[in-house]
Amino acid sequence: MRVSFIVNGASETADDVWEGESLLYVLRERMGLPGSKNACEQGECGSCTVYLDGTPVCACLVAAGQAEGRQVRTVEGLAEGDRLAPIQEAFVEAGAVQCGFCTPGLLVQAHDLIERRPDPSDAEIREALAGNLCRCTGYEKILDAVRLAARRKAAI
């Protein structure tokens, strides 16, 4: 089947999509957007999180056909041209990026949190990121990065 949707602001089409193919597979393998990671394929780790019509979802759990005519925003789409998004800059500055496997999903979730709650409490940050697993950082640097991005957004 053919699937067409908007990805990071651009119209995209994938042909010969198998009915059981995930949105994650189409994004990575057919559209050349490797940012979202394929880790658990069960929606447990959050590394494949993308926006679907403005709502964070695990792309491994979304059938590609469900994205037909909809808007998808990946971690690559958070950047503004060649400039990293503030949350991406904060992750780099705070040392929140280790192996990088969990980073794309954490970035999308953290971006969504700060858009909804510009000054989140630590409890709100932890709640928002609860579905994203990281085995390298111990989470403190990730929390530091979200706090830094939120402070910067508040200062604008």
Side-chain angles (χ1 to χ4, degrees):
M1 81 176 144
R2 171 178 274 186
V3 179
S4 299
F5 48 94
I6 308 295
V7 182
N8 299 329
S11 294
E12 298 287 346
T13 299
D15 289 316
D16 300 319
V17 175
W18 172 63
E19 290 178 7
E21 226 166 271
S22 70
L23 174 60
L24 177 62
Y25 184 87
V26 170
L27 291 169
R28 289 180 55 82
E29 306 301 329
R30 296 182 180 270
M31 296 184 175
L33 295 167
S36 302
K37 302 301 181 212
N38 184 4
C40 73
E41 295 184 359
Q42 297 176 18
E44 295 291 327
C45 72
S47 66
C48 65
T49 304
V50 300
Y51 283 110
L52 182 61
D53 290 337
T55 301
V57 298
C58 289
C60 71
L61 296 180
V62 177
Q66 290 178 287
E68 176 67 35
R70 298 172 77 182
Q71 298 216 13
V72 176
R73 188 174 183 194
T74 68
V75 67
E76 291 95 340
L78 297 181
E80 299 149 8
D82 290 340
R83 182 176 164 83
L84 292 177
I87 189 66
Q88 293 168 314
E89 289 177 349
F91 264 61
V92 171
E93 289 178 37
V97 179
Q98 297 267 323
C99 79
F101 215 77
C102 66
T103 306
L106 284 163
L107 286 166
V108 172
Q109 284 288 26
H111 179 269
D112 181 65
L113 170 65
I114 292 170
E115 290 297 306
R116 289 183 295 105
R117 302 278 304 166
D119 186 23
S121 67
D122 281 359
E124 289 170 323
I125 295 170
R126 290 176 190 279
E127 171 87 17
L129 302 181
N132 295 77
L133 303 179
C134 176
R135 298 179 71 186
C136 301
T137 65
Y139 296 98
E140 272 312 308
K141 300 266 186 204
I142 294 167
L143 296 174
D144 292 344
V146 177
R147 290 182 201 112
L148 176 60
R151 278 196 309 273
R152 287 184 178 164
K153 182 169 181 134
I156 295 175

